[in-house]
Every structure is written in C-alpha cells, then in structure tokens.
Amino acid sequence: MPGSNDSLAAKDVRFQLHSYTDARAHEEKGPLIIERGEGVFVIDEHGRRYLEAMSGLWSVALGFSEQRLVDAACRQLQALPFYHTFGHKSHAPSIALAERLIELAPVPMSKVYFTNSGSEANDVLIKLIWYRNNAIGQPKRKKIISRLGAYHGVTALSASLTGLPSVHKGFDLPLPGFLHVGNPHFYRHGRPGENEEQFVERLAAELQALILSEGPETIAAFVAEPLMGAGGVIVPPPSYWQRIEQVCRRHDVLIVADEVICGFGRTGRRFGCETFGITPDAMILSKQLSSSYQPIAAVLINEQLYSAVADQSHALGVLGTGFTGSGHPVASAVALANINIIEQDRLIEHAALMGQRLHAGLQRLASSPLVGQVRGCGLIAGVELVIDKPTKAPLGTLGQLGKYFTERAQHNGLIVRGIGDSIALCPPLIISADEIDLLLERFQRTLDETLDWARKQQGFACTA
Ligand code: PMP
C-alpha cells in the first residue's frame, strides 16, 4: 500500500486537505499530531504535553478525558446507535435534549431544531426566517445584517454572515442580501476623543442608517455573537446590546444570538444573552453543548417564529429541510450528559471564579510594552499585542506578532490562538486555580520571548 511505512505526519500531508490551513505551507511544515488528552492537557505523538488554552476550538468545556461523556456515548451506541427525526419519527435522546434546552433558555423559546454543526445551524435558521417571512406575506424581508469580524460558519449562507475577508476571498462570497455593520471593538474602532457611550451611539446610528437606506421592509434579521469570539474576543461596551436591540425592535428586525462560543458558561453566566442582557428571537448553540465529544448544534426559535414556520409547512405539506444526523441519538445523549455535568458540578460558577483569576493575572502582564489591551469576561480572554502603545501599531504587517507568539507558546507547552495580533484564551471550564497559574506562567514566558524577538526586528522602537 502506498505510504504505509510513512510517519503519521507524512501520511497526513499526503492524504489530507485541512481546514483553515495554507495547503502548500502544510506540505512543508506538516501537522502537530495530538494523540490523547488528560483534563486541560493534550499530549502529542512524541509524548509532549500542552495546556490546551483554547479548549480545542472554544469547545471542550469538560476537558479532554471526561469518562462520564464516554459512558453516555457507549450506553447510547449500545441501545440505539442511529435513528433519525424525519417524517414523524423520533427517539428519547433528542426529545430529552430538546426539552432540557427549552428549560434552560434565558428567554421563552418554543422549539429546537438540531444540526451537526454551528455553520449548518446558522444556515438553517436563515432559511427558516426566509420561509417564515414568505409565510407571513413579507416576501421582500430577506436581507440579513451581521457584523464585520463576526464568525458564524462556513456554509454558503453562514459564511455570508461571517464578516471575515479570509472566509469570503476566492469563494465569491458573501452572497447578495448579506450586509455587515461595524463591530463594537472600542480599543480599535473608537475615534480619538470618543468615549464608549458615544461609540455605541455611533454604531446604533450606523445600524439604523443601513436599515433605513435598504428599506426596513427588506431587513429580516440581525445576527450576532453576544461576545465576538473568533473575530478577536471582542467584548461589547455595557450599553451596546440595549441600543442595538432598540434599533432592531423599532424596525421589526429579528434578533439572533449566535451562542456557539458563549453558551454554557463561557462568559461566567449560562448564556452570553444573560451576561449582556439580550432578548433574542432565536439562538444558535453548539461547541460546549456537547464539549465537542460529538458533533451537534441546535437552533432555538421562539413561538412567533415557530408558528409561522409550522403553518407554512402545513400549507406546503412538508418542512423541506433536514440532515441525516439531525438530533443524532449518540450526539444528543452526550450533549445531555454534558449539560447535566456542567450544572451538577457547578461549572458555571467555577468558570466565573477561575475567569477572575485569569483576568487578574493577565492584567498584571498589561505593563509589558507589547500588551495593548487585555479584554474578556468569564473564561474567555483576548490580549492584543502592539509595538507602540500610543499608536497601537503592529510590528510590520498585522498578524506577525500574533503568529510568532502562537508558535512560541506551542513551544512552551501552551496552545493559544493568534487572531491578527490578538491572542485568544478560552480554556476548558474545568480548569483549576493551579492550572490557571501555569497558563499565566507560560503566557508570561512567551510574552517575554516575543518582546526579545520583536526588539531584534528592524525598526522596533519600544515605547512602554
Ligand atoms: N458560530 C460561532 C460563533 C462560531 O464560533 C463557530 C465556530 N467557531 C460557528 C458558528 C460555526 O460552527 P461550526 O464550526 O461547528 O460549523
């Protein structure tokens, strides 16, 4: 067999095309191959341990070795490994999970629709909103507003919601009818002399102006993460959501909270909507829903949305959408066990407490000449690196500092994510106080090494 004697890395390069990777660079560099996990640590094929400060992809709430989730999956695989939810069929795990999600929702929700991923969940929700607007006699109301820098997924519709050039370039996206407004990153986008409240007023005015110029009767929904994750861990100023909601309500624009990262305790409350005081019409859940031990996501819709969708499906004879894996019994059983563990082990309170320790530690690093801003809330944080604090200038082109830091951190046994020059941290909810201290120690070492490196680069005049 070709390649059978090659190393795993060589086979990976030979056979696999990777997400979010420069394919040609990968041929040179190869992968880091993770073999197993223990709590907040992952261990590579050579036995090196890394503190996984990103919970994989913002998702492994319970860490990488939770036996109770493995047991839940095994029990369900033995009882019923697969069944579907099409055409009036159902099964106990998806029913129990749907009931639990409705019970936990921060505002009254009516129904749950399951998908395999957050991208699909956003995709389906856009379709349901279009379907509903056709049903209620508002067929022109189809445009969707999201924000620059937002992440909502990669299917054609959810990638159109996403506000990142790298997700659009080369794919002829976004599709027509997807509009983007500015995001609430005050540190970057606040104007000289503007305070946070004035900044928020400017963003609310921008949203209002866009709705009016497009025609309110054409705008279906505003989709946003309560706290932006993959766009750089952007925490909205306190009055932001209240003002945005007022504008949306004024024009009958539905509000969708994409809680894929924020949900299940990440921000120190159960949902980001609670942390930021949002009352959405629909919510998207995934990632920490199952700690990503199984792929699953959920769309929650309120009664107003559901009843129009239900009537339309009745009129047309069927709701013509569905995935083979919608509400998969094993994924549902794992998600239900995962949520119960988060609740029983009081991991949301724990995350809030550990978050305070993390943020206090990061604030101590803010005196480094490289740290422009430390931000975050609960167990999610962003540290934005700059070489000149007054001008917030990057070293060379944006992303160079972030790339160097991320690679050094990995060398130092710490997995973080560089988003431009912002370093994201999002450790598992189970992280202990000692592990937070270890994370901070490795972060500090990496920061010092990055500073030494940056000083050696041409033209870096360090202004502390
Ligand atoms: N929404 C948000 C807020 C996300 O962070 C992500 C994934 N990072 C998605 C949607 C898409 O989820 P998936 O990767 O499961 O398609």
Side-chain angles (χ1 to χ4, degrees), residues 1-80:
M1 230 178 71
S4 58
N5 294 323
D6 286 350
S7 69
L8 265 183
K11 284 191 193 181
D12 178 75
V13 167
R14 185 175 297 191
F15 296 118
Q16 196 166 185
L17 176 64
H18 286 263
S19 305
Y20 288 115
T21 303
D22 170 343
R24 292 293 181 212
H26 190 67
E27 290 170 6
E28 296 298 314
K29 192 176 168 190
L32 168 71
I33 295 175
I34 299 299
E35 205 169 71
R36 59 200 172 84
E38 271 175 33
V40 299
F41 297 93
V42 291
I43 295 127
D44 74 15
E45 58 175 343
H46 308 297
R48 289 202 56 193
R49 284 165 76 83
Y50 305 83
L51 199 166
E52 227 303 359
M54 278 305 293
S55 304
L57 288 175
W58 324 80
S59 54
V60 182
L62 301 187
F64 293 85
S65 52
E66 178 49 72
Q67 189 59 37
R68 288 171 288 181
L69 294 189
V70 178
D71 293 342
C74 288
R75 276 196 304 274
Q76 188 55 45
L77 276 165
Q78 278 159 354
L80 180 70

Side-chain angles (χ1 to χ4, degrees), residues 290-329:
S290 67
S291 279
S292 282
Y293 278 38
Q294 289 285 292
I296 185 167
V299 182
L300 272 58
I301 52 174
N302 67 12
E303 181 59 27
Q304 186 204 1
L305 263 167
Y306 167 70
S307 67
V309 166
D311 288 346
Q312 181 79 330
S313 75
H314 187 59
L316 299 178
V318 69
L319 176 65
T321 196
F323 300 100
T324 301
S326 293
H328 192 287

Side-chain angles (χ1 to χ4, degrees), residues 181-182 184 197-212 222 239-248 250-251:
V181 289
E197 286 208 354
Q198 291 162 335
F199 174 60
V200 164
E201 284 313 313
R202 179 155 64 79
L203 293 182
E206 181 201 9
L207 178 61
Q208 161 102 346
L210 180 67
I211 294 172
L212 291 178
F222 177 77
S239 56
Y240 173 78
W241 268 106
Q242 196 195 352
R243 290 293 290 118
I244 293 296
E245 273 210 29
Q246 282 168 357
V247 173
C248 291
R250 193 177 302 143
H251 300 291

Side-chain angles (χ1 to χ4, degrees), residues 53 86 89 109 139 167 189 251 275 321 421 423:
F86 289 18
K89 307 282 193 308
M109 287 288 167
V167 174
H189 307 314
H251 300 291
T275 303
T321 196
D421 288 327
I423 307 303

Side-chain angles (χ1 to χ4, degrees), residues 117-119 122 151-153 225 258 260-261 287:
S117 69
S119 301
N122 276 309
Y151 194 92
H152 297 292
E225 302 155 77
D258 182 339
V260 166
I261 287 180
K287 294 193 189 277

Side-chain angles (χ1 to χ4, degrees), residues 99-356:
E99 181 183 16
R100 191 82 169 108
L101 293 179
I102 293 295
E103 198 177 277
L104 292 177
V107 294
M109 287 288 167
S110 173
K111 296 290 179 288
V112 181
Y113 184 88
F114 291 113
T115 69
N116 304 285
S117 69
S119 301
E120 290 167 337
N122 276 309
D123 198 293
V124 166
L125 179 58
I126 300 305
K127 286 175 61 183
L128 290 178
I129 289 171
W130 289 345
Y131 194 78
R132 172 251 186 188
N133 288 355
N134 288 334
I136 62 171
Q138 297 194 28
K140 278 180 18 197
R141 216 183 249 280
K142 296 288 166 54
K143 292 178 194 163
I144 312 285
I145 301 176
S146 61
R147 301 175 299 174
L148 297 168
Y151 194 92
H152 297 292
V154 294
T155 62
L157 298 188
S158 62
S160 297
L161 288 174
T162 293
L164 298 170
S166 60
V167 174
H168 296 157
K169 270 192 218 152
F171 289 111
D172 296 346
L173 294 170
L175 296 171
F178 288 83
L179 312 167
H180 296 89
V181 289
N183 69 51
H185 191 0
F186 180 63
Y187 174 75
R188 273 286 152 202
H189 307 314
R191 288 180 183 156
E194 193 175 47
N195 65 27
E196 278 197 322
E197 286 208 354
Q198 291 162 335
F199 174 60
V200 164
E201 284 313 313
R202 179 155 64 79
L203 293 182
E206 181 201 9
L207 178 61
Q208 161 102 346
L210 180 67
I211 294 172
L212 291 178
S213 71
E214 295 287 329
E217 72 289 352
T218 70
I219 309 291
F222 177 77
V223 179
E225 302 155 77
L227 171 159
M228 286 171 88
V233 186
I234 295 164
V235 187
S239 56
Y240 173 78
W241 268 106
Q242 196 195 352
R243 290 293 290 118
I244 293 296
E245 273 210 29
Q246 282 168 357
V247 173
C248 291
R249 297 289 171 224
R250 193 177 302 143
H251 300 291
D252 267 339
V253 171
L254 295 170
I255 295 170
V256 176
D258 182 339
E259 292 260 10
V260 166
I261 287 180
C262 295
F264 304 100
R266 179 52 64 193
T267 62
R269 305 278 300 269
R270 190 177 285 130
F271 293 104
C273 286
E274 292 163 307
T275 303
F276 298 105
I278 310 165
T279 49
D281 299 288
M283 291 167 73
I284 304 293
L285 306 174
S286 189
K287 294 193 189 277
Q288 296 206 127
L289 167 61
S290 67
S291 279
S292 282
Y293 278 38
Q294 289 285 292
I296 185 167
V299 182
L300 272 58
I301 52 174
N302 67 12
E303 181 59 27
Q304 186 204 1
L305 263 167
Y306 167 70
S307 67
V309 166
D311 288 346
Q312 181 79 330
S313 75
H314 187 59
L316 299 178
V318 69
L319 176 65
T321 196
F323 300 100
T324 301
S326 293
H328 192 287
V330 180
S332 297
V334 168
L336 191 61
N338 175 72
I339 295 171
N340 288 341
I341 293 169
I342 290 176
E343 298 291 325
Q344 281 156 19
D345 292 0
R346 305 184 73 79
L347 289 179
I348 299 175
E349 292 89 326
H350 177 75
L353 215 62
M354 290 302 108
Q356 283 169 14

